[in-house]
Amino acid sequence: MALKIFIAATGQNSGKTTTSLSLMHLASKKFERIGFIKPLGPKPIVFRGIDIDKDPALMAELFGLEKHLQLMCPVVVKPGDTRRALNGELPVEQLSEKVLESCAALEKECDFIIVEGSGHPGVGSVLGLSNARIARLLDAPVLMVTGGGIGNVVDSVHLNLALFEKEQAEVRAILVNKIIPEKREATLSYLQRAFTGQPFEIIGGFNYQPVLANPTLRRVAKLLDFPLHGNQAAASRIVHHIHIGAASTQRVVEALQDSTLLVVTSSRDELLVTMANLYQIPEYREKIVALVIPGVAPITKVTQQILDTSNIPYIRTTGYHTTDIYQALLDDVSKTTAEDTEKIDLVRQMAENRLDFEKITELFSRPSNGEARKAVDSKTNLR
């Protein structure tokens, strides 16, 4: 029987997919046949001609699991499905069967399976497929991922445990992510004390990493929905700082930090030309990721020629104010894609340095409550 770990989270953006990716990477070194399933997919895309959630598509691409695609996301939630379910037009009772059948088929092909939940534990309840319900349905013990802090972790874990307890799903470990490095030891110590007597273990996850939290230039272009011009090789660069080019040209140049995305309106010819020229200097190329150029006024012909000749990456937007762009970028939470090679390499390295995979597999290899009940029932029947 395959070793299954259900990855849940106390909320969105806690590092659930990063954790799944890390465990898949470590499992690939120990198990010959690994698998991944996200039973409920609320963010559908078309991948290899199949409607599937973006997370299983990512895992399939990274770990060569394309042969399992049909099994990796049995329930893909599309716009309108919630209303259809409430109107009785979507047979929700059949969705659980699809999840069970897909997971059972995957277990025949794999020795180790990550089952990833969606969002917070309650997501999917309207379809009868909350995270907690699915974990119980698949008899998969739960690894609950949290963000950083102490009080926030304690509060959010207790809040979310209630649903798992209601569904009789077994939470075996809490993995704490986004820990402030200098507070790591103290944070984990306090959390151990806060959860004394609980039937789960506290596992230290990843420290807070701006590289993982910040977007790539490719992500920025996708978010703004405008093409990237200039040096396409820069698409995978990670944006660590966002500046608005509102001050004098000299002040803007002096304020540049490593990996800066500069938002500068189309009428600032002098600043645009200066950035294009500085991009030719290695020292400044490290600082300048790209330009985002909003504004109603067209870029002058000479400035446009200089931009194109310099090959500086830029995104020319229309219909946005500078402040709108700045706020949209600040509000965005970056998600990892298969093209984000720098992030993925970092995650793999972090996994090997930070996670005790032997301890995790030992913890999750114990018979589940469901298996224990089956064993008792079997002995009773024999008598």
Side-chain angles (χ1 to χ4, degrees):
M1 182 174 290
L3 190 162
K4 299 193 294 283
I5 302 178
F6 189 101
I7 309 297
T10 54
Q12 291 183 311
N13 309 319
S14 297
K16 185 167 71 273
T17 300
T18 298
T19 300
S20 295
L21 197 161
S22 299
L23 293 178
M24 288 288 287
H25 169 66
L26 296 173
S28 68
K29 296 177 176 291
K30 180 175 181 177
F31 298 92
E32 288 188 12
R33 304 180 305 166
I34 62 173
F36 179 92
I37 181 172
K38 188 168 185 177
L40 183 74
K43 297 180 179 179
I45 61 171
V46 178
F47 179 75
R48 304 285 195 268
I50 297 173
D51 288 334
I52 194 169
D53 187 86
K54 62 180 185 58
D55 289 329
L58 172 66
M59 299 299 174
E61 193 166 0
L62 291 180
F63 297 100
L65 304 177
E66 284 87 349
K67 65 179 181 179
H68 296 151
L69 273 180
Q70 297 285 0
L71 305 174
M72 291 174 68
C73 193
V75 179
V76 179
V77 182
K78 298 180 180 178
D81 279 354
T82 295
R83 289 188 295 274
R84 290 177 59 214
L86 294 174
N87 288 332
E89 301 166 1
L90 183 65
V92 295
E93 63 279 358
Q94 296 178 13
L95 302 182
S96 295
E97 289 301 319
K98 290 181 67 175
V99 170
L100 279 167
E101 290 170 4
S102 293
C103 192
L106 204 56
E107 286 191 68
K108 293 178 182 178
E109 299 288 331
C110 302
D111 306 308
F112 176 94
I113 300 173
I114 287 293
V115 185
E116 185 176 309
S118 303
H120 60 75
V123 169
S125 295
V126 71
L127 301 178
L129 290 173
S130 70
N131 285 212
R133 171 65 179 150
I134 293 172
R136 178 66 184 88
L137 192 68
L138 300 182
D139 202 17
V142 177
L143 174 69
M144 187 183 294
V145 181
T146 78
I150 298 174
N152 178 60
V153 171
V154 174
D155 293 347
S156 59
V157 166
H158 279 294
L159 177 66
N160 287 282
L161 275 177
L163 185 56
F164 287 98
E165 290 171 353
K166 177 185 176 182
E167 294 289 350
Q168 297 184 306
E170 186 182 7
V171 177
R172 289 198 183 172
I174 306 298
L175 187 139
V176 186
N177 272 337
K178 300 186 177 181
I179 303 173
I180 304 300
E182 57 270 23
K183 297 181 179 179
R184 183 180 181 88
E185 186 175 341
T187 296
L188 294 176
S189 175
Y190 278 115
L191 289 175
Q192 293 284 0
R193 280 182 263 174
F195 291 115
T196 298
Q198 293 290 342
F200 51 75
E201 294 199 23
I202 302 299
I203 299 175
F206 301 130
N207 291 341
Y208 176 71
Q209 291 281 351
V211 170
L212 297 180
N214 294 335
T216 61
L217 182 54
R218 181 183 295 107
R219 168 72 179 178
V220 171
K222 184 176 181 180
L223 177 68
L224 299 178
D225 198 24
F226 285 96
L228 174 65
H229 301 279
N231 183 9
Q232 297 298 309
S236 61
R237 285 192 65 182
I238 298 171
V239 176
H240 293 305
H241 303 280
I242 304 169
H243 291 185
I244 294 179
S248 68
T249 297
Q250 182 177 344
R251 290 290 298 275
V252 170
V253 172
E254 291 173 348
L256 287 173
Q257 298 170 274
D258 286 339
S259 300
T260 295
L261 180 72
L262 183 65
V263 183
V264 50
T265 59
S266 56
S267 60
R268 293 289 310 271
D269 291 289
E270 181 185 354
L271 182 53
L272 291 172
V273 170
T274 299
M275 290 298 114
N277 289 328
L278 289 177
Y279 191 70
Q280 309 310 308
I281 303 172
E283 174 190 351
Y284 283 96
R285 185 168 290 210
E286 289 298 312
K287 293 183 177 183
I288 304 169
V289 174
L291 306 175
V292 176
I293 312 175
V296 176
I299 300 173
T300 64
K301 184 176 180 179
V302 172
T303 299
Q304 184 66 62
Q305 288 176 337
I306 293 171
L307 287 173
D308 294 337
T309 302
S310 71
N311 205 31
I312 187 172
Y314 70 91
I315 302 168
R316 176 69 169 110
T317 67
T318 56
Y320 281 100
H321 292 295
T322 299
T323 52
D324 294 334
I325 291 174
Y326 185 72
Q327 193 60 52
L329 294 175
L330 289 183
D331 291 344
D332 179 56
V333 177
S334 178
K335 298 296 183 182
T336 303
T337 69
E339 296 172 310
D340 296 335
T341 54
E342 182 180 345
K343 289 188 178 185
I344 291 168
D345 288 344
L346 176 60
V347 169
R348 286 171 169 155
Q349 180 183 345
M350 288 166 50
E352 293 177 6
N353 293 336
R354 190 62 72 182
L355 298 183
D356 186 344
F357 190 65
E358 291 300 322
K359 178 181 178 180
I360 292 172
T361 52
E362 180 181 353
L363 178 62
F364 282 84
S365 294
R366 294 196 322 245
S368 67
N369 291 338
E371 290 169 348
R373 282 191 292 269
K374 290 176 185 176
V376 171
D377 292 343
S378 177
K379 289 181 180 179
T380 301
N381 291 335
L382 286 174
R383 291 172 188 165

